Amino acid sequence: MNDLDTEVLPLPPRYRFRDLLLGDQPFPNDDRVQVEFYVNENTFKERLKLFFIKNQRSSLRIRLFNFSLKLLTCLLYIVRVLLDNPDQGIGCWGCEKYNYTFNGSSSEFHWAPILWVERKMALWVIQVIVATISFLETMLLIYLSYKGNIWEQIFHVSFVLEMINTLPFIITVFWPPLRNLFIPVFLNCWLAKHALENMINDFHRAILRTQSAMFNQVLILFCTLLCLVFTGTCGIQHLERAGGNLNLLTSFYFCIVTFSTVGFGDVTPKIWPSQLLVVILICVTLVVLPLQFEELVYLWMERQKSGGNYSRHRARTEKHVVLCVSSLKIDLLMDFLNEFYAHPRLQQDYYVVILCPSEMDVQVRRVLQIPLWSQRVIYLQGSALKDQDLMRAKMDNGEACFILSSRNEVDRTAADHQTILRAWAVKDFAPNCPLYVQILKPENKFHVKFADHVVCEEECKYAMLALNCICPATSTLITLLVHTSRGQEGQESPEQWQRMYGRCSGNEVYHIRMGDSKFFREYEGKSFTYAAFHAHKKYGVCLIGLKREENKSILLNPGPRHILAASDTCFYINITKEENSAFIFKQEEKQKRRGLAGQALYEGPSRLPVHSIIASMGTVAMDLQNTDCRPSQGGIGGDGSKLTLPTENGSGSRRPSIAPVLELADSSALLPCDLLSDQSEDEVTPSDDEGLSVVEYVKGYPPNSPYIGSSPTLCHLLPVKAPFCCLRLDKGCKHNSYEDAKAYGFKNKLIIVSAETAGNGLYNFIVPLRAYYRSRRELNPIVLLLDNKPDHHFLEAICCFPMVYYMEGSVDNLDSLLQCGIIYADNLVVVDKESTMSAEEDYMADAKTIVNVQTMFRLFPSLSITTELTHPSNMRFMQFRAKDSYSLALSKLEKQERENGSNLAFMFRLPFAAGRVFSISMLDTLLYQSFVKDYMITITRLLLGLDTTPGSGYLCAMKVTEDDLWIRTYGRLFQKLCSSSAEIPIGIYRTECHVFSSEPHDVRAQSQISVNMEDCEDTREAKGPWSTRAASGSGSTHGRHGGSADPVEHPVLRRKSLQWARKLSRKSTKQVGKAPVATDWITQQRLSLYRRSERQELSELVKNRMKHLGLPTTGYEDVANLTASDVMNRVNLGYLQDEMNDHHQNTLSYVLINPPPDTRLEPNDIVYLIRSDPLAHVASSSQSRKSSCSNKLSSCNPETRDETQL
């Protein structure tokens, strides 16, 4: 320490206090040297150069001053010409003046009128001053810009012109006789043109704005034409002083006529100097103008490719949105434009600016040339990472910016990285511009968390595919909800199902403040379920959720305990928003209801008032019943909300009537269940053969989330995480020896997911299927069939879920399908593979997937297959049959709807209507619609189970059975659900019998069968014995058995064949001439019921592979052994049952969103429900809670899966 003190020199005493105040001061013996930088700029020449040349603003002022001087000299020349009168004499300053006349018959002329002019003294003084200033400025700039070659600057054109126009004026100061000497000052117009170009360059530099080459070229061309005309006008006028003595106007007229190649000949030059000048000007024009026009055309073509700029004036006066994409395809463009401009207020007020780094595609260019889009859409070639391109798009003035990912890229992670950089660049350049971002992979979502709206493709895709397995056609339901439509699709179709399906597809989600609503204002202070039921009964609208004023969270079906307030924002499903609706009350029905108010019993079929919804020009006229929404307080006989049914078989017992929906919640009438308790003990009683190996599950939040930003969801979990080795389905380990799905002995059918890799998005497939609100008996085993082995990070995330397994294999390998237990599966989900998303030929990316799915359908016809395709237009190949006339009719209908401007032209394709095919590009409209409805992404995520808000309900489904048909109509079902379980129905998944024929039209006309009216009744009659036989033959959930192998022995098939034969014979007798043809057709039809040779070959192939793999073949039923339960299970497939026959009776399925209350219920209808959150209101007494749950569940059929029995 002492050594250190001796090394540091102490400060001088007199500096210590001052240094403490003022800082460090140099020591007296300090040898530091101060270095000054840029000392060369301190010289006088450098300072002048900085002021005149380098500095942008001062240089701009100098050039503006120079430009003004040149214009002033040209103006002074015109003034001199107007004041000059050659008739008063011509001569030098102070000399005698002479008059010279031109003899037109002689070619001789005098040079004196050309050399001398009359110049007033004041005019001469002004011109001398201006010339002196210009001369000094020119010499100073020559001095400052000197770089060692003086001759290059001297012989420069601008310097020569400057000397010609300024030096003679300076000489006249010292030699007065030359003051009347002609000086071609009009040539200063070329110097003014040069100064203008430099001034524009400095101006762009000064304001830091990118210079437009197109603007410069147009400016140069215009200035060149102006200078040529001005030079010709002044030159010819001066030379003709010795000839015809033309004035400026006549000379200007001559130049315009000459340069435009018209050449009237009424004005011509008289002397050869003027004629020579005309020749020179024409030659210069023929050389200069074509070169500049060529440059202008080239720049114009380049601008057409790059798109030019979006006008700043338009950006300030008009509204526009910017669409940023990596590559623009015609499908993406049309989806965006059709959805964005589907809203009327956006059609007139908004422009769309497309910013894309690639050159415009030929198809895109052709579309943007259509007048409908050419005035609204502007294409700019540029990058969102460049501020110059963002400035061209006027991003800072934009109303919104849509950033879409390129989903067809092989490396989807790289595509996300590009999207993230674009979002960062836009946020940095225009922080106030709302961002709408599309991300492909969920792990990249948190990078764009700052965006106003984010849609993650894989999150929505896997959650939707998972719900498809338990709520059929959820993908179709969500797709129709997020598409804008007026419900006019299919209204001209002759088929009833297409008209009804198309009309209901126009329903969308809208919002309105309750205090401002005619729909819901009268229900203030009432319960949510009361308002939902009565609003649907009276207006035909479906109230699905709301948002409190003090809370930003949206709640779907908050339950009957939620009391509506005037400040609540209501979300409802309707054909259009309330602001576009007109209300027409039916007075006749009102009087009729008053007259029938005293009747106690219900007589005859249900005839609720028809709610006709007529969409016309954006306004919906609604025929409403003027109902009294208050339930009567009397008994059953006087209660208009209850329904008393007729007695059965003359006995005094009655079926239970529908209770009224209460205005306020009644705790005794509700059946709350505490799902945090273990319901498995109450729901399922283990049998003796199950033993004691029942695994207890717990409810909790998954401990390991695979990515940042996943919403926590309460799920069924294992008490202890499963080892990674136990997750492998096809290989045993030290914990168990199971090597196939049969050995596990699953009670429920499997759900198989075929994917290329185990991405983080696959986690969202598992969570909805393991959510806490699904009872343990409803959980289906999940098998992940992966092409590549999953990493430990993914296995760590899924090892806590019960009955989740994986195996390596491919969907195009039959052995892999058999090993993963496809014969024990109910649903197979085929996810689009990333490696096949891009193909050399457009729309060929789905070729392998389509062929593989068709192969699996032929091998396993009772399997429900959900397929994801890259391109929605390829869904027509999922049921492709070349000779199927019904498919051809649907194709024509699709083309017709597309010509009518429909955004949902593909909706009538049977695979889409049945929910068997899905493309993620259909959900692009969700992001576009969020521009108008900022709540759509939140509501969609709540419906899909991606987000779980406390108090918000969830989407589920129930099946309408034969025992439930006493309810009769959808409106009564609405009342039943609202009054009993507080569930809100939002739609129906309907399946109908139909006839698919491939016979020629003339033969089919003889033997057309109306299955919807007659055969459906036969089917209903036959359903009972079929189900009975199926139940007796097997103990499985779906009643499969391997009974009789010969379909001839099946009485139902024989009965159906006889029914078809009788109907065909009755219709064929009406047309005797074509009886032989009909007879042959009947014979083929009857033979087709007995011949299944191809299916038997496929069955043998599958069984041989199973034997080769050592798998038991008892679980596989070929087509010849399909039971009645299997046939009914194919109701939900939407596929054709037999592709080999020429005439097919099968079913088609479709979705009805918010159907009218008078819609009749059909057997096998599946109703979409929004069930209230079981954890929102838990009863105080656990004993009453358990008894309520057991009473409710005792009425449920234990064989049904995720269904509510009434």
Side-chain angles (χ1 to χ4, degrees):
M1 191 68 183
N2 295 331
D3 296 339
L4 294 176
D5 293 339
T6 57
E7 292 178 1
V8 178
L9 298 177
L11 291 174
R14 63 190 183 93
Y15 289 116
R16 289 181 181 177
F17 184 71
R18 186 183 68 180
D19 294 343
L20 181 62
L21 296 179
L22 302 180
D24 294 339
Q25 298 292 331
F27 298 111
N29 57 351
D30 193 357
D31 57 350
R32 290 181 294 178
V33 178
Q34 182 178 359
V35 180
E36 296 184 2
F37 300 97
Y38 302 106
V39 293
N40 59 326
E41 294 184 357
N42 296 331
T43 62
F44 181 72
K45 179 180 179 180
E46 290 297 329
R47 291 180 179 178
L48 288 178
K49 185 182 295 185
L50 180 65
F51 181 78
F52 280 90
I53 299 176
K54 294 183 179 180
N55 188 274
Q56 298 172 356
R57 298 187 180 275
S58 60
S59 174
L60 177 61
R61 298 189 187 100
I62 295 299
R63 295 189 189 278
L64 181 61
F65 176 74
N66 190 18
F67 176 72
S68 303
L69 282 181
K70 304 309 176 187
L71 291 182
L72 180 59
T73 57
C74 295
L75 181 62
L76 292 176
Y77 178 84
I78 295 175
V79 173
R80 198 273 307 163
V81 171
L82 295 177
L83 297 177
D84 187 13
N85 188 4
D87 296 337
Q88 296 180 359
I90 298 173
C92 63
W93 180 273
C95 301
E96 186 178 358
K97 304 295 190 291
Y98 297 96
N99 290 327
Y100 300 94
T101 58
F102 174 69
N103 187 5
S105 60
S106 177
S107 60
E108 295 182 359
F109 64 93
H110 299 279
W111 286 93
I114 299 176
L115 295 177
W116 304 103
V117 296
E118 182 66 25
R119 185 176 287 118
K120 303 298 182 181
M121 186 63 184
L123 183 62
W124 173 80
V125 172
I126 297 175
Q127 286 185 323
V128 168
I129 296 174
V130 172
T132 304
I133 296 174
S134 298
F135 177 78
L136 294 177
E137 181 192 5
T138 302
M139 298 307 296
L140 180 60
L141 293 176
I142 289 293
Y143 168 70
L144 295 178
S145 60
Y146 172 70
K147 296 180 180 179
N149 190 355
I150 189 62
W151 296 107
E152 181 181 355
Q153 297 181 352
I154 290 177
F155 289 106
H156 197 273
V157 176
S158 60
F159 180 78
V160 172
L161 290 177
E162 198 69 56
M163 293 299 104
I164 292 176
N165 293 323
T166 58
L167 195 57
F169 281 106
I170 299 176
I171 294 176
T172 58
V173 175
F174 305 100
W175 195 354
L178 297 180
R179 292 178 182 176
N180 282 347
L181 180 67
F182 169 74
I183 301 173
V185 184
F186 59 84
L187 295 178
N188 275 333
C189 66
W190 296 98
L191 297 177
K193 168 181 170 294
H194 181 67
L196 180 62
E197 295 177 11
N198 294 332
M199 183 178 66
I200 294 297
N201 293 334
D202 288 339
F203 175 73
H204 285 298
R205 286 195 304 161
I207 65 175
L208 300 178
R209 179 182 171 187
T210 305
Q211 183 179 356
S212 172
M214 191 69 187
F215 172 78
N216 272 9
Q217 193 61 33
V218 172
L219 181 64
I220 292 172
L221 179 60
F222 177 75
C223 292
T224 302
L225 287 173
L226 187 61
C227 291
L228 285 173
V229 173
F230 185 74
T231 302
T233 300
C234 296
I236 293 174
Q237 184 274 334
H238 178 71
L239 293 177
E240 282 298 313
R241 285 162 54 90
N245 196 11
L246 304 177
N247 56 23
L248 278 177
L249 182 59
T250 306
S251 180
F252 176 73
Y253 165 75
F254 170 76
C255 290
I256 294 298
V257 171
T258 302
F259 288 160
S260 62
T261 68
V262 176
F264 291 118
D266 53 345
V267 179
T268 56
K270 305 298 183 183
I271 59 177
W272 67 265
S274 58
Q275 294 173 353
L276 179 62
L277 178 62
V278 172
V279 172
I280 294 174
L281 289 175
I282 291 176
C283 293
V284 171
T285 303
L286 292 177
V287 173
V288 174
L289 291 184
L291 293 177
Q292 296 200 2
F293 272 113
E294 180 185 5
E295 184 70 18
L296 181 63
V297 171
Y298 174 77
L299 290 176
W300 176 261
M301 295 175 63
E302 291 296 323
R303 176 168 179 164
Q304 288 296 105
K305 294 179 181 180
S306 62
N309 297 331
Y310 184 68
S311 171
R312 181 167 294 274
H313 173 73
R314 180 185 290 179
R316 291 174 179 173
T317 57
E318 305 287 348
K319 299 178 181 179
H320 75 284
V321 297
V322 182
L323 176 64
C324 297
V325 290
S326 298
S327 59
L328 187 63
K329 298 295 183 182
I330 186 63
D331 294 337
L332 175 65
L333 175 63
M334 294 313 299
D335 287 344
F336 178 83
L337 295 180
N338 290 330
E339 183 62 34
F340 185 79
Y341 284 115
H343 304 276
R345 74 178 182 88
L346 301 183
Q347 294 180 1
Q348 304 296 333
D349 300 338
Y350 283 83
Y351 289 87
V352 173
V353 179
I354 302 173
L355 187 61
C356 180
S358 59
E359 188 176 343
M360 192 186 308
D361 187 65
V362 177
Q363 293 180 340
V364 174
R365 186 186 304 275
R366 188 181 301 115
V367 169
L368 294 185
Q369 290 176 351
I370 300 175
L372 177 64
W373 307 120
S374 61
Q375 304 299 325
R376 302 178 183 177
V377 184
I378 301 171
Y379 187 94
L380 304 181
Q381 184 177 353
S383 173
L385 301 183
K386 296 181 180 179
D387 288 349
Q388 295 87 348
D389 293 332
L390 295 178
M391 190 180 299
R392 288 169 53 205
K394 304 300 180 293
M395 185 69 73
D396 50 346
N397 298 111
E399 298 293 324
C401 177
F402 296 89
I403 303 178
L404 305 183
S405 298
S406 179
R407 66 167 55 91
N408 293 332
E409 295 290 337
V410 177
D411 190 354
R412 295 166 68 85
T413 303
D416 270 350
H417 294 168
Q418 297 175 11
T419 302
I420 293 170
L421 287 184
R422 289 190 181 94
W424 289 353
V426 172
K427 197 65 177 179
D428 178 70
F429 181 83
N432 297 325
C433 181
L435 274 180
Y436 296 77
V437 182
Q438 179 191 66
I439 285 292
L440 302 181
K441 289 187 170 292
E443 60 266 23
N444 298 321
K445 189 175 62 172
F446 79 100
H447 291 294
V448 291
K449 189 178 180 180
F450 57 86
D452 299 83
H453 300 277
V454 180
V455 172
C456 182
E457 181 178 292
E458 289 194 0
E459 271 188 344
C460 297
K461 175 180 71 176
Y462 281 107
M464 191 175 299
L465 293 175
L467 285 182
N468 254 19
C469 299
I470 53 180
C471 300
T474 303
S475 58
T476 303
L477 173 70
I478 299 297
T479 302
L480 295 179
L481 277 179
V482 301
H483 272 78
T484 301
S485 171
R486 293 184 177 225
Q488 297 176 350
E489 287 82 3
Q491 298 309 301
E492 299 179 358
S493 173
E495 303 219 15
Q496 174 65 23
W497 78 270
Q498 294 175 355
R499 294 195 299 271
M500 191 172 184
Y501 172 52
R503 183 172 65 251
C504 292
S505 68
N507 285 277
E508 300 177 46
V509 181
Y510 298 98
H511 76 292
I512 193 170
R513 186 176 178 272
M514 183 181 176
D516 304 331
S517 171
K518 294 182 180 179
F519 287 156
F520 313 110
R521 182 169 50 197
E522 56 186 303
Y523 308 118
E524 181 181 356
K526 308 293 195 320
S527 66
F528 179 85
T529 52
Y530 180 86
F533 164 67
H534 286 280
H536 184 266
K537 180 181 179 182
K538 185 174 182 180
Y539 300 103
V541 300
C542 181
L543 179 63
I544 62 172
L546 53 80
K547 180 174 66 174
R548 288 289 193 190
E549 185 178 16
E550 66 276 3
N551 190 1
K552 295 183 179 180
S553 299
I554 297 177
L555 304 179
L556 298 181
N557 187 13
R561 292 183 176 89
H562 189 98
I563 306 303
L564 298 179
S567 59
D568 291 348
T569 301
C570 299
F571 300 95
Y572 61 96
I573 297 177
N574 196 19
I575 201 74
T576 187
K577 58 183 179 180
E578 180 181 328
E579 293 84 347
N580 295 341
S581 303
F583 301 92
I584 305 173
F585 292 88
K586 289 187 175 181
Q587 299 296 333
E588 298 179 359
E589 293 183 2
K590 179 179 178 181
Q591 297 174 0
K592 182 179 179 181
R593 273 198 331 278
R594 288 178 178 176
L596 299 178
Q599 296 183 3
L601 298 180
Y602 178 83
E603 298 178 0
S606 173
R607 295 188 58 83
L608 290 180
V610 178
H611 294 61
S612 62
I613 301 176
I614 307 165
S616 174
M617 299 302 292
T619 302
V620 173
M622 307 178 68
D623 296 341
L624 307 173
Q625 54 172 342
N626 195 0
T627 56
D628 185 5
C629 298
R630 306 176 195 170
S632 61
Q633 305 298 328
I636 295 179
D639 191 352
S641 301
K642 286 190 177 181
L643 217 58
T644 307
L645 298 179
T647 60
E648 293 187 68
N649 301 327
S651 63
S653 61
R654 303 175 185 269
R655 294 185 184 181
S657 62
I658 301 178
V661 183
L662 301 180
E663 295 184 7
L664 299 176
D666 186 4
S667 301
S668 61
L670 297 175
L671 302 176
C673 295
D674 185 6
L675 292 186
L676 289 177
S677 62
D678 191 3
Q679 299 178 19
S680 58
E681 298 178 1
D682 299 330
E683 295 173 355
V684 181
T685 302
S687 58
D688 297 336
D689 56 349
E690 290 178 357
L692 300 177
S693 61
V694 179
V695 180
E696 296 293 335
Y697 302 148
V698 298
K699 294 183 176 67
Y701 293 97
N704 298 317
S705 176
Y707 60 91
I708 301 175
S710 62
S711 178
T713 304
L714 192 64
C715 299
H716 292 278
L717 302 176
L718 293 172
V720 181
K721 291 183 179 180
F724 290 172
C725 57
C726 295
L727 300 179
R728 186 70 183 259
L729 180 71
D730 57 335
K731 289 186 179 180
C733 61
K734 63 181 180 181
H735 305 95
N736 62 69
S737 58
Y738 304 146
E739 295 185 353
D740 59 83
K742 177 67 175 178
Y744 283 86
F746 295 123
K747 299 177 183 178
N748 294 335
K749 295 294 183 179
L750 277 67
I751 296 177
I752 302 176
V753 187
S754 172
E756 186 175 18
T757 57
N760 292 327
L762 201 55
Y763 174 81
N764 294 286
F765 185 92
I766 301 174
V767 170
L769 299 179
R770 294 294 180 265
Y772 73 97
Y773 42 76
R774 310 196 186 282
S775 62
R776 203 181 84 172
R777 67 182 180 84
E778 299 174 357
L779 301 183
N780 297 84
I782 302 174
V783 178
L784 310 179
L785 183 61
L786 306 174
D787 291 0
N788 303 314
K789 185 177 181 180
D791 54 10
H792 288 273
H793 179 68
F794 178 78
L795 296 178
E796 183 70 25
I798 68 171
C799 65
C800 59
F801 294 103
M803 294 188 295
V804 177
Y805 308 93
Y806 81 93
M807 70 167 283
E808 297 180 33
S810 177
V811 72
D812 54 359
N813 189 338
L814 180 58
D815 293 352
S816 299
L817 294 174
L818 294 175
Q819 286 179 339
C820 72
I822 193 171
I823 61 175
Y824 309 109
D826 249 356
N827 292 274
L828 172 64
V829 178
V830 181
V831 181
D832 199 6
K833 298 182 180 180
E834 297 181 11
S835 59
T836 61
M837 284 186 176
S838 59
E840 295 181 358
E841 183 180 352
D842 290 342
Y843 305 104
M844 278 295 178
D846 298 319
K848 185 176 181 180
T849 302
I850 293 174
V851 174
N852 290 337
V853 169
Q854 291 298 87
T855 303
M856 285 186 292
F857 173 72
R858 299 293 295 276
L859 293 175
F860 310 99
S862 62
L863 183 66
S864 175
I865 306 176
T866 303
T867 310
E868 182 200 2
L869 298 179
T870 303
H871 302 284
S873 59
N874 288 335
M875 68 175 62
R876 65 185 187 274
F877 300 120
M878 299 303 295
Q879 291 185 6
F880 182 77
R881 299 186 330 174
K883 296 182 179 180
D884 182 25
S885 59
Y886 194 75
S887 297
L888 295 178
L890 292 179
S891 178
K892 292 179 181 179
L893 179 61
E894 179 180 354
K895 295 176 182 177
Q896 181 181 356
E897 294 298 333
R898 187 178 290 109
E899 292 175 356
N900 294 336
S902 172
N903 302 338
L904 298 170
F906 53 82
M907 62 177 292
F908 294 103
R909 291 289 183 178
L910 296 182
F912 173 78
R916 293 297 106 195
V917 65
F918 168 72
S919 177
I920 190 60
S921 61
M922 298 176 184
L923 284 187
D924 288 345
T925 56
L926 175 62
L927 188 66
Y928 311 151
Q929 205 175 77
S930 299
F931 181 70
V932 178
K933 306 174 184 178
D934 56 356
Y935 48 83
M936 277 307 300
I937 295 179
T938 303
I939 290 180
T940 303
R941 291 180 64 88
L942 289 174
L943 288 175
L944 295 179
L946 292 172
D947 293 337
T948 54
T949 303
S952 177
Y954 59 94
L955 180 66
C956 60
M958 58 159 282
K959 189 173 183 180
V960 177
T961 62
E962 293 284 353
D963 297 335
D964 303 324
L965 292 181
W966 64 271
I967 302 178
R968 284 186 282 278
T969 62
Y970 182 76
R972 289 167 51 80
L973 176 66
F974 207 116
Q975 179 181 358
K976 174 68 177 176
L977 293 173
C978 288
S979 60
S980 60
S981 55
E983 297 168 335
I984 306 297
I986 62 174
I988 296 176
Y989 179 71
R990 173 156 294 177
T991 302
E992 293 181 355
C993 300
H994 205 77
V995 172
F996 304 97
S997 175
S998 58
E999 284 293 311
H1001 182 72
D1002 54 348
V1003 178
R1004 195 171 65 251
Q1006 309 169 34
S1007 55
Q1008 185 68 30
I1009 303 177
S1010 178
V1011 182
N1012 287 331
M1013 300 303 297
E1014 299 178 8
D1015 288 349
C1016 282
E1017 298 177 359
D1018 299 333
T1019 306
R1020 294 176 188 174
E1021 295 174 1
K1023 183 174 184 289
W1026 281 16
S1027 301
T1028 304
R1029 180 169 180 173
S1032 62
S1034 174
S1036 63
T1037 303
H1038 295 274
R1040 295 179 182 174
H1041 65 87
S1044 175
D1046 190 0
V1048 179
E1049 301 299 325
H1050 205 298
V1052 177
L1053 293 179
R1054 186 185 303 109
R1055 176 184 174 187
K1056 294 300 295 182
S1057 64
L1058 295 177
Q1059 291 174 355
W1060 291 352
R1062 284 197 300 268
K1063 293 172 184 176
L1064 292 174
S1065 62
R1066 286 198 303 266
K1067 294 192 176 184
S1068 61
T1069 55
K1070 299 179 182 179
Q1071 301 179 5
V1072 182
K1074 298 182 179 180
V1077 180
T1079 304
D1080 296 339
W1081 190 85
I1082 295 172
T1083 304
Q1084 292 180 358
Q1085 190 63 31
R1086 296 182 64 181
L1087 289 177
S1088 64
L1089 295 173
Y1090 300 94
R1091 294 179 182 175
R1092 299 180 184 268
S1093 58
E1094 181 179 346
R1095 295 281 176 89
Q1096 290 177 352
E1097 293 179 5
L1098 296 175
S1099 174
E1100 291 299 326
L1101 171 64
V1102 175
K1103 289 183 178 180
N1104 290 336
R1105 294 309 305 165
M1106 295 178 68
K1107 293 177 181 178
H1108 177 75
L1109 296 173
L1111 300 176
T1113 60
T1114 56
Y1116 177 72
E1117 295 90 9
D1118 58 345
V1119 179
N1121 296 331
L1122 281 178
T1123 65
S1125 178
D1126 290 323
V1127 175
M1128 296 308 298
N1129 185 37
R1130 291 191 41 85
V1131 157
N1132 298 330
L1133 294 181
Y1135 287 103
L1136 303 181
Q1137 183 174 353
D1138 191 353
E1139 297 188 4
M1140 297 302 297
N1141 297 338
D1142 292 331
H1143 192 279
H1144 317 278
Q1145 177 185 357
N1146 208 311
T1147 59
L1148 57 86
S1149 303
Y1150 53 94
V1151 175
L1152 300 177
I1153 303 177
N1154 188 28
D1158 58 338
T1159 303
R1160 305 285 297 190
L1161 296 178
E1162 304 262 342
N1164 300 315
D1165 277 354
I1166 296 178
V1167 182
Y1168 299 105
L1169 307 173
I1170 298 181
R1171 190 170 292 168
S1172 59
D1173 185 8
L1175 301 181
H1177 306 284
V1178 181
S1180 57
S1181 175
S1182 60
Q1183 182 65 28
S1184 63
R1185 187 161 57 237
K1186 277 195 172 185
S1187 62
S1188 299
C1189 292
S1190 60
N1191 291 336
K1192 181 178 181 180
L1193 293 172
S1194 63
S1195 62
C1196 297
N1197 188 353
E1199 294 182 354
T1200 59
R1201 177 172 50 87
D1202 194 21
E1203 297 171 356
T1204 300
Q1205 297 294 329
L1206 302 178

